[in-house]
Amino acid sequence: MVQQNANGYVRRRNWFLPRILCLLAGASELCPQEVKQVPLRAVELTFLKATPGNRENLKEFIVRNWFAMDTIAVEQGLMKEFKVMDTGSDDGDWNVLVSVTYRDARGYEGITVEFEKIRAKHKVVLVSGKRMAELGAVVDSRKLYENPVQGSPSRD
């Protein structure tokens, strides 16, 4: 409900609280369209450390192998997107980061059976004659969740 006071200011009454309560209760069918809950999506971050001088080769290995499989997973609707980034340096505890966004909050656990079928068909592509273990190693991984309220609009 919108009201205008004597000074001409518009005041929205009963706008904020019902929407917050609606979201907290998970009653999205009762919520106004603009505040319906958006399902959480897991974003899994994998931190890698390249062996000295192999940061670019490690990223190429990731693209030719991990992303070859991830592309199929996206086509099958198992994942939303993936990307590789680096720190621009060989220094630090890690220097390459892989980000994978899944279709829901379960992340990899939600697609394990389907993804293992994809993995079973994949043939490892060497980069400069080297396997992953010679190019670098996973040093950490984290699972985060997209904030459905903030950020850029979904491409779904």
Side-chain angles (χ1 to χ4, degrees), residues 17-54:
L17 186 59
R19 283 162 176 77
I20 294 300
L21 293 174
C22 185
L23 288 173
L24 291 174
S28 61
E29 68 279 355
L30 303 175
C31 294
Q33 184 65 33
E34 70 272 10
V35 294
K36 283 189 179 178
Q37 273 187 313
V38 176
L40 290 178
R41 293 193 298 202
V43 178
E44 295 190 8
L45 303 177
T46 303
F47 299 84
L48 300 102
K49 176 67 175 180
T51 55
N54 278 311

Side-chain angles (χ1 to χ4, degrees), residues 7-147:
N7 296 327
Y9 292 107
V10 174
R11 193 171 98 186
R12 292 178 184 250
R13 199 179 234 191
N14 298 330
W15 181 86
F16 187 71
L17 186 59
R19 283 162 176 77
I20 294 300
L21 293 174
C22 185
L23 288 173
L24 291 174
S28 61
E29 68 279 355
L30 303 175
C31 294
Q33 184 65 33
E34 70 272 10
V35 294
K36 283 189 179 178
Q37 273 187 313
V38 176
L40 290 178
R41 293 193 298 202
V43 178
E44 295 190 8
L45 303 177
T46 303
F47 299 84
L48 300 102
K49 176 67 175 180
T51 55
N54 278 311
R55 187 167 29 92
E56 291 302 320
N57 286 336
L58 177 59
K59 291 189 308 184
E60 185 177 340
F61 185 92
I62 290 165
V63 169
R64 290 183 174 204
N65 291 281
W66 295 11
F67 290 177
M69 294 182 283
D70 291 354
T71 298
I72 296 167
V74 168
E75 290 167 358
Q76 293 180 4
L78 304 174
M79 294 178 179
K80 291 295 183 184
E81 65 182 9
F82 50 87
K83 57 185 136 187
V84 62
M85 299 164 269
D86 75 79
T87 62
S89 166
D90 285 345
D91 298 330
D93 294 335
W94 62 273
N95 55 10
V96 175
L97 175 67
V98 173
S99 170
V100 177
T101 303
Y102 292 87
R103 65 181 176 198
D104 61 36
R106 296 174 299 165
Y108 184 75
E109 292 80 24
I111 68 165
T112 303
V113 172
E114 297 96 337
F115 195 84
E116 289 306 316
K117 292 176 188 173
I118 296 168
R119 187 187 313 275
K121 294 178 182 176
H122 178 72
K123 303 263 190 280
V124 175
V125 178
L126 302 180
V127 173
S128 296
K130 297 178 182 178
R131 302 182 70 73
M132 170 76 181
E134 299 169 281
L135 299 172
V138 173
V139 296
D140 197 6
S141 62
R142 303 289 169 121
K143 182 191 269 188
L144 304 156
Y145 299 93
E146 285 184 325
N147 185 337

